[in-house]
């Protein structure tokens, strides 16, 4: 099965900082990667599909890139409301593995 | 509007089984697949498996093979997940999620807390 390795597991940054989270697939998966945001006690929310397609209503400070095995989620200017955990997921076919998650905090 | 409404919290003893439901509304149930995802306290998201509401095909996470069964009832637009031989490390919030073909999960249920304790 394809594994999804996400890094870092946590980060602390200042408001306005640029934040980058990476996700590496153990085999090539084209652009079949999604990114989810999960705030404490809430249901995960889809941010990005197909590696780089921003979902409707998601702020433009979020962006995704990559293909094959290496993928990136970037927050261009971190805001207090972005405090959450972020997960990548391969979404082509089963198993639909998640990355381990990245907890983002404000410094 | 699209809704996935899950059944309520459960408390089970080790060795027991639990069956969680996920009732869908606001869309054509048989046009989608459904996955179950669980999250242990303070941990990340763990994909458990997938079922096609169109034909009942399933794919389970290897780690749960033999203990989990996913089914659907198209007459009531409800997906079910049954987990058997429960252990304490099965304590988690269990989510159902809608899975369009070749696309990620776009709608989620509210989650069901399953606590396994003697």
């Amino acid at each position: 099965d394809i594994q999804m390795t996400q890094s870092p597991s946590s980060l602390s940054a200042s408001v306005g900082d640029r934040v980058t989270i990476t996700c590496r697939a153990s085999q090539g998966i084209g652009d079949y990667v999604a990114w989810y945001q999960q705030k404490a006690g809430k249901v995960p929310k889809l941010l990005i599909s197909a590696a780089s397609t921003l979902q409707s209503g998601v702020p433009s400070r979020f962006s995704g890139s990559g293909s094959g095995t290496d993928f990136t989620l970037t927050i261009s200017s971190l805001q207090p409301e972005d405090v959450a955990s972020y997960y990548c997921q391969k979404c082509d076919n089963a198993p639909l593995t998640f990355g381990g998650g990245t907890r983002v905090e404000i410094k | 509007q699209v809704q996935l409404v899950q059944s309520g919290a459960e408390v089970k003893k080790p060795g027991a089984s639990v069956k969680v439901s996920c009732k869908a509304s606001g869309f054509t149930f048989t046009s989608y697949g459904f996955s179950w995802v669980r999250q242990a306290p303070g941990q990340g998201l763990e994909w458990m498996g997938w079922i096609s509401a169109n034909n009942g095909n399933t794919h389970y996470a290897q780690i749960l093979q033999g203990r989990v069964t996913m089914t659907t009832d198209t007459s009531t637009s409800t997906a079910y997940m049954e987990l058997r031989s429960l252990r304490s490390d099965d304590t988690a919030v269990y989510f159902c999620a809608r899975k369009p073909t070749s696309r990620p999960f776009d709608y989620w249920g509210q989650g069901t807390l399953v606590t396994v304790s003697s």
Side-chain angles (χ1 to χ4, degrees):
Chain A
D1 291 347
I2 296 174
Q3 305 302 314
M4 302 294 284
T5 303
Q6 193 174 333
S7 61
S9 57
S10 66
L11 66 88
S12 181
S14 300
V15 172
D17 281 355
R18 184 181 184 87
V19 167
T20 299
I21 298 168
T22 63
C23 186
R24 175 164 289 177
S26 59
Q27 297 176 39
I29 53 173
D31 66 351
Y32 287 102
V33 163
W35 291 93
Y36 299 88
Q37 175 192 64
Q38 186 182 31
K39 296 184 177 181
K42 302 296 186 182
V43 175
K45 173 187 175 183
L46 178 61
L47 295 180
I48 289 171
S49 63
S52 61
T53 302
L54 201 65
Q55 299 305 289
S56 175
V58 175
S60 58
R61 63 181 179 273
F62 290 92
S63 64
S65 65
S67 68
T69 60
D70 294 310
F71 302 88
T72 300
L73 173 70
T74 299
I75 308 173
S76 61
S77 176
L78 187 67
Q79 300 301 304
E81 60 266 33
D82 301 334
V83 168
S85 292
Y86 294 83
Y87 298 90
C88 62
Q89 184 197 27
K90 67 177 288 287
C91 50
D92 48 352
N93 46 43
L96 303 169
T97 310
F98 288 96
T102 298
R103 181 170 296 183
V104 174
E105 299 176 338
I106 300 291
K107 193 180 295 183
Chain B
Q1 72 282 23
V2 172
Q3 280 195 301
L4 299 175
V5 179
Q6 297 182 219
S7 49
E10 303 262 13
V11 179
K12 296 292 183 180
K13 293 195 181 302
S17 298
V18 68
K19 190 170 186 177
V20 180
S21 67
C22 171
K23 183 167 176 59
S25 61
F27 62 97
T28 302
F29 183 71
T30 52
S31 294
Y32 293 87
F34 294 86
S35 265
W36 290 86
V37 176
R38 69 180 181 178
Q39 187 168 39
Q43 302 302 307
L45 302 174
E46 178 185 15
W47 177 79
M48 299 178 66
W50 167 89
I51 182 168
S52 166
N54 178 46
N55 56 24
N57 286 349
T58 55
H59 188 124
Y60 301 134
Q62 199 163 2
I63 196 172
L64 294 172
Q65 286 277 1
R67 288 206 301 138
V68 67
T69 301
M70 296 176 188
T71 57
T72 59
D73 182 343
T74 57
S75 69
T76 60
S77 298
T78 303
Y80 296 92
M81 184 284 300
E82 181 179 32
L83 188 61
R84 300 176 292 279
S85 301
L86 289 168
R87 310 184 292 241
S88 58
D89 61 358
D90 291 317
T91 294
V93 175
Y94 290 74
F95 296 99
C96 64
R98 190 178 82 164
K99 172 73 172 70
T101 303
S102 297
R103 285 186 49 78
F105 305 154
D106 55 0
Y107 287 91
W108 295 65
Q110 82 274 20
T112 297
L113 175 62
V114 175
T115 302
V116 183
S117 173
S118 54

